[in-house]
Amino acid sequence: MSTLSGKTALVTGASRGIGREIARARAARGAAGGLLSRSGAELEALAAELGQRAVALPADVGDRAAVEAAVERFLAEAGGLDLVVANAGIAHYGPLLGQDLEKVEAMTRVNWLGTAYTVKATLGHLVDRASGHIVIVSSGAGLRAFPWAAGYGATKAAQRAFAEALRHELSGSGVSVTTVYPGEIATHLHDHEKAALPDWYRGGEKAADAGRLAAAVLRAVERDRRSVAYPGIVRLLGLNGLSPRLADAIIRRLRGGTAAPRRD
Ligand SMILES: NC(=O)c1ccc[n+]([C@@H]2O[C@H](COP(=O)([O-])OP(=O)(O)OC[C@H]3O[C@@H](n4cnc5c(N)ncnc54)[C@H](OP(=O)(O)O)[C@@H]3O)[C@@H](O)[C@H]2O)c1
């Protein structure tokens, strides 16, 4: 997609954080769009800020029928769709032994199934028009998962595998896929568990800016990049696929022993 000007986009998880910044950056580039998340009031406020061409679509991405209905409503109102950003997500960190499986189920439903529901509800439209782009917001944890984030990392790895396969599967269709690997970004993702974050987690003032990530994502769409890692150092986690021991050694250096306690 060489330019976003005049295009129409749907962003999930648009009420705050990374999704809201992507929606703002997209509107600044002249693209109209749908804003999907559960918080209707926040979406309405953002739609008012972005102008007439923004549509609030309150829905839970973990509810397949609700996602399908929101997409149908958006297509009817906007008349088309060029860019889909599957970004909505939640995080629950903690040692698996003490973690309720309900939290793993919730992350699976929102992060992974929510991505599949969003893509499946929109893909036919893009392929029929032989044009479009899908962005899937995974995580550095999808490249190499960390202790206390086993369940979260699993959902992010699922998104990565899904996006990688889809990019190849759609080759020649006119529809493309970009996967996003954020590092620690200053958002509200961990507000509910700030007191219990693992030692290796830095966040806080060291977290990167969501607006800069959003700009990098839209640049990657315009250049049809396979992936975006932001900050760039996150790409080093991909070494895990080649040499887990090397990746562990780098991670220990950057984040300390709690991020990679085993040395075998
Ligand atoms: N922040 C980071 O450090 C970081 C790092 C790597 C990856 N990520 C990924 O980036 C994505 C965005 O996270 P963020 O950091 O921007 O977090 P955030 O500030 O908490 O925003 C999350 C967004 O997802 C929406 N959402 C949550 N559950 C939903 C559901 N069931 N249905 C629809 N929307 C839902 C939220 O809106 P409602 O509550 O209104 O539904 C909100 O708009 C996530 O996939 C996350 O895993 C973030």
Side-chain angles (χ1 to χ4, degrees), residues 89-151:
I90 55 173
H92 296 290
Y93 283 7
L96 184 67
L97 190 60
Q99 188 170 50
D100 294 336
L101 276 175
E102 284 72 15
K103 291 188 173 163
V104 176
E105 287 169 349
M107 289 188 285
T108 301
R109 192 175 61 78
V110 176
N111 300 358
W112 156 228
L113 289 177
T115 296
Y117 297 159
T118 301
V119 171
K120 192 67 165 67
T122 51
L123 185 60
H125 177 82
L126 303 182
V127 170
D128 283 351
R129 296 172 58 202
S131 165
H133 204 104
I134 296 165
V135 171
I136 294 179
V137 181
S138 171
S139 166
L143 295 168
R144 194 284 200 178
F146 284 68
W148 291 27

Side-chain angles (χ1 to χ4, degrees), residues 12-20 36-40 42-43 59-63 67 86-91 93 106 109-111 115 137-141 152 155-156 159 180-191 201 203 207-208 210 213 230:
T12 74
S15 60
R16 58 176 185 270
I18 294 167
R20 185 169 60 186
L36 191 151
S37 82
R38 293 163 305 175
S39 312
E42 277 85 344
L43 295 180
D60 181 340
V61 291
D63 177 340
V67 173
N87 160 78
I90 55 173
Y93 283 7
R109 192 175 61 78
V110 176
N111 300 358
T115 296
V137 181
S138 171
S139 166
Y152 177 74
T155 65
K156 294 288 147 182
Q159 287 179 299
V180 183
Y181 301 108
E184 288 167 3
I185 310 295
T187 69
H188 297 287
L189 188 67
H190 297 293
D191 281 3
Y201 185 83
L213 168 60
Y230 186 86

Side-chain angles (χ1 to χ4, degrees), residues 4-5 9 11 18-32 35 46 49-50 83 210-219 222:
L4 282 160
S5 177
V11 181
I18 294 167
R20 185 169 60 186
E21 292 310 312
I22 292 176
R24 282 181 172 146
R26 172 210 71 194
R29 288 179 186 222
L35 311 167
L46 182 61
E49 173 196 318
L50 299 183
L83 171 64
R212 284 174 183 249
L213 168 60
V217 169
L218 296 191
R219 269 198 308 277
E222 288 172 339

Side-chain angles (χ1 to χ4, degrees), residues 228-246:
V228 184
Y230 186 86
I233 198 165
V234 172
R235 201 167 284 287
L236 279 183
L237 294 173
L239 282 173
N240 189 52
L242 284 174
S243 169
R245 291 184 68 176
L246 175 61

Side-chain angles (χ1 to χ4, degrees), residues 139-210:
S139 166
L143 295 168
R144 194 284 200 178
F146 284 68
W148 291 27
Y152 177 74
T155 65
K156 294 288 147 182
Q159 287 179 299
R160 172 176 59 75
F162 181 73
E164 278 172 358
L166 209 54
R167 182 168 164 102
H168 286 291
E169 186 174 315
L170 293 171
S171 169
S173 70
V175 181
S176 197
V177 181
T178 296
T179 316
V180 183
Y181 301 108
E184 288 167 3
I185 310 295
T187 69
H188 297 287
L189 188 67
H190 297 293
D191 281 3
H192 63 98
E193 58 183 11
K194 268 190 173 145
L197 287 168
D199 287 347
W200 54 259
Y201 185 83
R202 286 201 193 134
E205 286 170 9
K206 293 190 172 147
D209 180 62

